[in-house]
Amino acid sequence: MNLMIKGIILGCIIVLPGMSGGTVFLIFGIYENMLKDLAKLNIKPYLPLLAGSIIGIFISGMLFALFFESFRDETAVFLMGCLIASIRPVLKPCEKLNLQGILFFLGGLVIGYYMGGEPIGLMVEIEEISWILLMIGGILSSAAMIIPGIPGSSVLIVLGIYDSILYSIKELELFNLIIFGIGSIIGIFLLINILNNIYEKYRSVISYFFAGLILGSSRALLPYSFKPYILLIFAVGFILVWIWSGKQNAPADELQKKDEN
């Protein structure tokens, strides 16, 4: 499979909350070499991957924006299922639950609840959004995305700009997309090594904190009205990411063992 096709698959996947780009890189077998090359600013071999990713993000982003516009509650609960199930891979590397883990989880839960804001609305118009927030969203989501098990799109939900990014893709709001893209580049090249080192050093508490953020921010995806079939759609999203996160463990474990050796 060439890098362009892998990039398209990657782009389509990472739009979903709960889907980790770093895990996709592991499954594709390019994670370790890619990190080394990015550290050396050797990006030429990955330009087809980047191009494919952009195509995939636009395809998937436009589809979800259209679904949000026509089927708001159904799309929201599907994404909520994906988001909540992503707690599984986030907590996978954690040690046995202790008081410190509980406190960090509760702290993340409270912060995520308030940062998530009110439930995401119908995508009929886009509110004015700060370019600084877009930049921060790009930086944090792209840097987090490369860490296996951490879903970059979930960061956007925590920041309350996930729907704004989808709408910008759908309506081709170039200014927003360019600012977000610049932030993404900064995140990949400047923060990835820093975040990766911090994550490796404080993996357990960060994972509990991030799990709390995810659960708390999921209120942004609550349906406006409850219908019986909503639970089924939620279950589909949840099971999709739950199964995916289970399959991703094998390559992640192999990499961890390789690093230990």
Side-chain angles (χ1 to χ4, degrees):
M1 188 187 303
N2 64 44
L3 282 180
M4 175 73 79
I5 296 175
K6 288 181 178 179
I8 293 174
I9 295 172
L10 171 68
C12 289
I13 287 175
I14 61 176
V15 171
L16 280 173
M19 297 300 197
S20 165
T23 299
V24 178
F25 292 135
L26 280 172
I27 292 173
F28 285 162
I30 62 175
Y31 180 80
E32 193 171 7
N33 289 333
M34 187 184 70
L35 280 189
K36 292 177 181 177
D37 286 335
L38 289 179
K40 300 174 184 176
L41 298 181
N42 180 24
I43 63 173
K44 187 176 180 180
Y46 303 98
L47 291 179
L49 181 73
L50 175 62
S53 299
I54 293 173
I55 294 172
I57 288 171
F58 269 89
I59 292 173
S60 189
M62 285 186 175
L63 284 175
F64 271 100
L66 289 171
F67 281 133
F68 245 116
E69 196 170 71
S70 302
F71 308 100
R72 187 272 168 197
D73 280 358
E74 292 82 354
T75 305
V77 295
F78 174 79
L79 294 176
M80 178 188 274
C82 294
L83 185 67
I84 293 177
S86 71
I87 292 176
R88 179 190 187 188
V90 170
L91 291 181
K92 179 183 178 292
C94 292
E95 301 171 358
K96 189 176 180 180
L97 182 62
N98 52 31
L99 179 59
Q100 186 182 44
I102 293 173
L103 291 176
F104 271 87
F105 176 82
L106 292 176
L109 184 68
V110 172
I111 293 173
Y113 181 83
Y114 284 103
M115 288 185 67
E118 296 300 318
I120 294 172
L122 294 170
M123 291 191 173
V124 293
E125 60 180 342
I126 187 168
E127 296 181 0
E128 192 69 27
I129 182 170
S130 166
W131 68 268
I132 297 177
L133 185 57
L134 282 171
M135 180 80 73
I136 292 173
I139 292 171
L140 295 181
S141 63
S142 63
M145 178 195 74
I146 296 182
I147 300 174
I150 303 297
S153 54
S154 298
V155 174
L156 301 180
I157 292 179
V158 171
L159 293 175
I161 61 173
Y162 180 78
D163 55 334
S164 298
I165 297 299
L166 286 186
Y167 189 89
S168 295
I169 291 173
K170 175 178 173 289
E171 298 297 324
L172 293 179
E173 296 277 351
L174 293 181
F175 177 78
N176 288 348
L177 295 176
I178 290 172
I179 295 297
F180 183 79
I182 292 172
S184 299
I185 293 172
I186 293 173
I188 290 173
F189 288 104
L190 295 186
L191 286 188
I192 178 58
N193 287 330
I194 297 173
L195 285 182
N196 196 43
N197 290 334
I198 293 174
Y199 182 67
E200 288 299 323
K201 190 173 182 180
Y202 304 103
R203 180 185 294 262
S204 184
V205 292
I206 290 176
S207 295
Y208 279 117
F209 179 74
F210 199 76
L213 281 178
I214 290 174
L215 187 59
S217 63
S218 65
R219 77 161 178 149
L221 296 169
L222 286 171
Y224 287 153
S225 60
F226 178 80
K227 301 166 188 173
Y229 68 88
I230 286 289
L231 289 176
L232 178 60
I233 297 174
F234 172 87
V236 171
F238 184 91
I239 292 171
L240 175 68
V241 173
W242 188 269
I243 293 175
W244 167 265
S245 64
K247 288 184 176 181
Q248 74 187 26
N249 290 343
D253 290 341
E254 288 174 8
L255 180 64
Q256 188 174 2
K257 290 177 182 177
K258 188 175 181 180
D259 290 340
E260 290 173 355
N261 294 332

